[in-house]
């Protein structure tokens, strides 16, 4: 069982203490047989010895001992990956190891293909009569509820939220608000793309949109980066008129590459009433 880290000391000292406890705990959970080593007789303490972990990770015994003791030493990503492999760490544990060592964890492979779950679809539908969208990390739309279909003109074709923002006549029909929001949208997309430098999906979106939108090409060339934050979406629907939404993005815990975007009518804009009108119009229209 991992012992609690001390609450005293600097943040870096507390982090190294947590790293020490984490490595000791994970080492104690393994036996030589778990990692393909021959048994070495009776042991006073459970788990692998430090020198065995060092051999498996191909690092010096003294260096690994210092790391596990929580000393202030320099580590590389290559060595951390080797230790993660030696200790048979899962992907979340590997990320945790990186963070405790004071490094940014690299992306965990490519984005896994997965069907949108029934629970996520129920969540989107539960947000009705307000729009809700599920997108992946490169902002491709994976699922949406009926209000989002009506508001954003989504259909069965592939959509991308960034492309929609720059090319949809509904967004471009409000030029002042669109122009005010465009730099922040591009800056947020660049920030997201930096987390997955090897993902070709981002490059496909950027390359296609540079050809389709001179405004995007100019903004993208500026290399501005901004943290994604709650944003205001404004567009003009051909039937309902002007719609203003506060958009909040939430990450799905068990699918960290999935993001649910919830659109809430902005108070004082009449959007909620116009959504109700649009819904009534849709219900009155024969299928």
């Amino acid at each position: 069982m991992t012992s609690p880290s001390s609450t005293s000391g600097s943040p870096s000292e507390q982090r190294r203490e947590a790293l020490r406890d984490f490595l000791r705990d994970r080492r104690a959970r393994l036996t030589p047989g778990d990692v393909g080593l021959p048994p070495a007789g009776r042991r006073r303490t459970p788990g692998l010895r430090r020198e065995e972990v060092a051999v498996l990770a191909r690092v010096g015994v003294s260096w690994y001992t210092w790391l596990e003791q929580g000393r202030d030493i320099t580590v590389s990503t290559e060595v951390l990956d080797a230790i993660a492999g030696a200790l048979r760490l899962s992907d979340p544990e590997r990320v945790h190891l990186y963070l405790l060592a004071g490094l940014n964890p690299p992306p965990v492979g490519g984005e896994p293909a997965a069907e949108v779950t029934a629970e996520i679809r129920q969540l989107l539908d539960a947000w009705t009569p307000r729009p809700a969208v599920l997108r992946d990390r490169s902002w491709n739309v994976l699922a949406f509820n009926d209000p989002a279909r009506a508001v954003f003109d989504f259909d069965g074709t592939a959509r991308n939220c960034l492309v929609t923002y720059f090319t949809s006549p509904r967004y471009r029909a409000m030029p002042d608000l669109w122009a005010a929001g465009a730099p922040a949208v591009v800056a947020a997309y660049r920030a997201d793309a930096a987390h997955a430098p090897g993902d070709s999906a981002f490059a496909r979106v950027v390359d296609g949109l540079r050809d389709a939108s001179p405004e995007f090409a100019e903004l993208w060339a500026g290399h501005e980066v901004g943290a994604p934050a709650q944003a205001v979406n404004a567009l003009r629907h051909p039937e309902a008129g002007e719609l203003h939404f506060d958009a909040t993005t939430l990450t799905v815990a068990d699918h960290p590459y999935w993001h649910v975007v919830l659109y809430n009518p902005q108070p004082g804009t009449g959007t909620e009433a116009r959504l109700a009108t649009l819904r009534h119009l849709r219900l009155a229209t024969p299928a």
Side-chain angles (χ1 to χ4, degrees):
M1 182 175 178
T2 302
S3 60
S5 298
S6 170
T7 56
S8 61
S10 67
S12 62
E13 290 172 336
Q14 294 181 39
R15 176 175 51 74
R16 291 197 298 272
E17 289 179 7
L19 174 62
R20 175 199 66 197
D21 293 343
F22 180 67
L23 288 173
R24 288 176 178 176
D25 181 88
R26 290 307 183 268
R27 177 166 60 83
R29 296 185 183 199
L30 296 173
T31 67
D34 292 332
V35 295
L37 294 176
R42 296 178 61 85
R43 297 177 179 234
R44 289 180 297 175
T45 57
L48 297 176
R49 298 188 175 105
R50 285 174 176 167
E51 55 266 28
E52 290 171 332
V53 176
V55 168
L56 290 168
R58 298 183 178 180
V59 299
V61 176
S62 296
W63 186 92
Y64 179 77
T65 300
W66 296 336
L67 180 68
E68 194 174 287
Q69 288 174 343
R71 297 196 190 186
D72 188 8
I73 60 175
T74 301
V75 296
S76 67
T77 58
E78 292 80 8
V79 169
L80 286 183
D81 280 341
I83 292 172
L87 294 174
R88 303 297 194 266
L89 299 186
S90 65
D91 285 341
E93 289 171 335
R94 175 173 170 265
V95 169
H96 188 61
L97 174 65
Y98 263 79
L99 295 174
L100 292 181
L103 297 177
N104 291 324
V108 184
E111 181 171 353
E115 293 291 331
V116 178
T117 63
E119 291 80 8
I120 293 297
R121 293 189 182 278
Q122 289 168 3
L123 173 63
L124 299 179
D125 290 339
W127 194 245
T128 301
R130 294 156 293 181
V133 171
L134 176 69
R135 63 169 177 83
D136 65 15
R137 67 180 177 185
S138 55
W139 298 20
N140 293 314
V141 175
L142 303 177
F144 46 86
N145 62 7
D146 284 338
R149 182 196 310 274
V151 167
F152 303 115
D153 195 27
F154 287 159
D155 51 25
T157 60
R159 299 290 181 130
N160 179 278
C161 294
L162 181 68
V163 174
T164 297
Y165 187 84
F166 274 86
T167 63
S168 171
R170 299 186 180 189
Y171 277 112
R172 303 303 298 263
M174 301 183 70
D176 291 341
L177 291 175
W178 180 89
V185 172
V186 174
Y189 194 77
R190 184 178 288 279
D192 280 357
H195 290 286
D199 189 346
S200 60
F202 285 98
R204 287 194 296 270
V205 172
V206 170
D207 291 345
L209 194 50
R210 271 193 298 218
D211 293 337
S213 171
E215 296 94 339
F216 172 79
E218 181 178 354
L219 289 170
W220 188 255
H223 293 274
E224 296 295 333
V225 179
Q230 181 161 311
V232 176
N233 271 245
L235 64 156
R236 180 175 289 118
H237 190 276
E239 297 170 299
E242 292 187 1
L243 301 175
H244 300 254
F245 297 99
D246 292 317
T248 301
T249 302
L250 309 174
T251 301
V252 180
D254 56 347
H255 289 281
Y257 296 129
W258 288 359
H259 305 279
V260 175
V261 185
L262 302 176
Y263 296 87
N264 205 33
Q266 198 172 34
T269 64
T271 298
E272 189 166 6
R274 294 189 184 101
L275 273 183
T277 299
L278 179 60
R279 184 164 180 261
H280 293 149
L281 289 172
R282 295 283 165 167
L283 290 174
T285 302

